[in-house]
Each structure stands twice: as structure tokens, then as C-alpha cells.
Amino acid sequence: MTDQPAADATARPNVARMYDYFLGGSHNFAADRAAADRVLEIFLFPETGVAAQTNRHFLRRAVRYAAAQGVRQFLDIGAGLPTQGTVHEVVRTVAPDARVVYVDYDEVAVAYARELLPDVPGTAVVQGDLRRPDDLLAHPDVRGTLDLDRPVAVLLLAVLHFVSDADDPWAAVARLRDSTVPGSHLVLSHLTLDGIAPELAERGQAIYRNSSAPLVPRTHAETLRFFTGYDLVEPGLVETTRWRPDGEPELVDSHGYAGVGVRR
Ligand SMILES: C[S@@+](CC[C@H](N)C(=O)[O-])C[C@H]1O[C@@H](n2cnc3c(N)ncnc32)[C@H](O)[C@@H]1O
């Protein structure tokens, strides 16, 4: 990174920039890389970089799926740094008129998103917090870009596992659901540590306790609850690589669940 934000914004590991590092991006700082390397070293996610790519592959498949169903509006919450195949780039190959709003609560991620994303009509970058869905949905740039009287695909990829149970992420997702019309989609991926030794899981979570957000892996049943009020499309909520594979090579178990639902 060349444009340096204030030092205090870079001293603490930041989950958006750690993820950028896992993806092989350059929008990260020493503290982000050190924390990310420690995650790799303890073998919690020996293939974390590949798992992050696997998550992005799911995003591409799911966005194209929603577009094929006729959805033309996308609300990408916890969008992160727009370094790898942004939603509007993916969707506009099949639906050139698609409108996309990128939301993140992290001011550094938002600042870089505004800098890196070209000024494309029909897209917006908004600073907003998933834990406050009403404020997020009321933002003038959300209202100015999306028509909530028409179907919207709400994208929640690799973000809900940064929201603790105490903040009731299920209520936030239900609020988003209730603010969209039937036919809207929920595209979701979520970290799980099902099958991981508890001691390794704890060591990994300890690293995130000193970062910008806690790490909250969830079980299949806990993740499935986010789809209340949605009909899950086939094959349901599954390990990320198993969601409608399109032949793109997948190298690793992603430690994630992924699914797409259609609002009833
Ligand atoms: C691992 S990245 C995922 C990026 C992208 N969605 C993807 O799947 O490739 C998680 C992002 O969620 C953001 N985030 C975490 N908690 C959030 C919240 N409560 N509201 C909005 N964004 C949040 C972080 O700042 C980070 O950019």
C-alpha cells in the first residue's frame, strides 16, 4: 500500500486486510500480515489462502445464478477490499444493467473501495454496519441505487462469522429479509470449524480476539437458521465447493458452508 492511513488504523490487525492478504492482495499492512501468518502457522487453516479463493469462486457462481433468475440488484454487505472480481464485474458479464451497492463497516476498507472501484454508474460504496440493518438500508446511496420494491440479492459472504451471538446476527438477517420483496435472494457463506480440533480452533480464535473483529465459527444448524423465511435452492446449505460446481478447479475443503435462498 502506498497511501498510508493514520498509524493507529494500521497497528491493529484488520480482518478485511487479513483477508486481502489471504487472497494474495497488496492492500494490507505489517500487523495484518503478521496476524494472518500466525493463523497459517498454527495450521488452523493450512490452506487459508486457497479457502479464501474458494469463497470468491462461490460468490461468482452464486451471483451469476441470481442474475440467471432475473435478479438485477445486489447488496454486498461486508464486501471487503474490491481487489478480486468485484460483484458488478461478475454480474455485468451476464446482466449489464445490474446495480450493485458495496457495504462495509470498516472505514479503511471503504476508503480503498472508493479509491479502487471505478466510478461506474449504478454502483455505490457505503459505510454501514450489518448489525444496524435499518440504518444501512436507509442510507441515501443505498436508496438511490437500489429499488427495494424489486428483488434484491443480499450477499453476506464470509461476514456473519465476524458478528457475535450477543449481537444477534439472525435478527439482523431477518430484518434484511423483511425489508426485501418476495423473490429476493440471500447469498451466504460462513466459516465453520465443524470437524476441527477444539484446541486448534481456540488458538485461531485467540488471534482474532486481538484484531478488528472476533471470529465466530458456526455449526451447520446455526448457519441454516439464517435462511429462515427463504427457500434454499438446490443443493441447499453445503460445503462451499459443493454448491453448484461449474468445473473451476477447487483444491481444498473451505471450512465453510454456502447456500442461496429465495425469499418467500
Ligand atoms: C473476510 S472479508 C469478506 C469479504 C467478501 N465478502 C468476500 O467474501 O470475499 C469480511 C469483511 O466483512 C467486514 N465486516 C465485518 N463485520 C462487519 C459488519 N458488522 N458490518 C459490515 N461489514 C463487516 C470486514 O470489514 C471485512 O471487510
Side-chain angles (χ1 to χ4, degrees):
M1 268 183 161
T2 49
D3 269 350
Q4 299 284 318
D8 59 349
T10 66
R12 192 176 187 215
N14 171 291
V15 298
R17 297 192 304 259
M18 287 170 68
Y19 185 73
D20 176 69
Y21 179 67
F22 290 140
L23 281 170
S26 58
H27 301 278
N28 46 73
F29 296 99
D32 311 314
R33 293 189 287 276
D37 281 338
R38 281 183 20 244
V39 172
L40 298 173
E41 277 164 22
I42 65 167
F43 302 115
L44 173 61
F45 314 122
E47 303 279 1
T48 297
V50 181
Q53 295 284 359
T54 298
N55 183 55
R56 296 300 294 184
H57 291 179
F58 165 68
L59 178 146
R60 289 198 280 276
R61 297 196 301 277
V63 161
R64 287 193 198 113
Y65 173 86
Q69 308 310 304
V71 177
R72 291 293 178 270
Q73 306 190 97
F74 294 80
L75 180 60
D76 184 5
I77 304 176
L81 288 149
T83 50
Q84 312 269 336
T86 57
V87 173
H88 75 273
E89 287 168 350
V90 171
V91 71
R92 286 185 173 176
T93 61
V94 290
D97 56 337
R99 306 176 76 79
V100 183
V101 176
Y102 299 97
V103 179
D104 207 288
Y105 75 165
D106 183 79
E107 64 183 304
V108 176
V110 168
Y112 280 104
R114 290 196 173 124
E115 191 177 300
L116 293 168
L117 279 178
D119 188 13
V120 181
T123 70
V125 178
V126 167
Q127 186 168 7
D129 193 324
L130 169 58
R131 295 167 297 183
R132 289 196 285 281
D134 290 330
D135 292 349
L136 189 163
L137 290 167
H139 193 287
D141 289 345
V142 174
R143 294 287 167 165
T145 308
L146 305 179
D147 176 359
L148 297 185
D149 292 328
R150 294 171 50 229
V152 176
V154 176
L155 312 183
L156 294 171
L157 285 114
V159 58
L160 284 162
H161 53 236
F162 294 120
V163 181
S164 66
D165 287 6
D167 283 325
D168 199 347
W170 295 278
V173 174
R175 188 76 194 122
L176 292 166
R177 178 200 63 213
D178 291 343
S179 303
T180 57
V181 297
S184 292
H185 285 44
L186 175 64
V187 176
L188 186 150
S189 66
H190 199 296
L191 176 80
T192 186
L193 293 183
D194 288 356
I196 296 280
E199 189 258 342
L200 288 181
E202 167 49 31
R203 287 169 64 193
Q205 287 177 277
I207 293 172
Y208 281 87
R209 276 198 284 278
N210 293 320
S211 82
S212 58
L215 189 67
V216 190
R218 292 194 169 93
T219 65
H220 188 271
E222 290 167 333
T223 308
L224 194 59
R225 275 180 57 205
F226 290 116
F227 286 96
T228 302
Y230 290 90
D231 292 322
L232 271 171
V233 304
E234 289 294 327
L237 181 68
V238 292
E239 196 278 317
T240 307
T241 59
R242 294 177 192 275
W243 196 90
R244 296 179 181 250
D246 63 0
E248 196 165 16
E250 301 285 9
L251 300 173
V252 68
D253 180 332
S254 64
H255 299 296
Y257 293 122
V260 174
V262 180
R263 188 195 184 298
R264 287 179 205 127

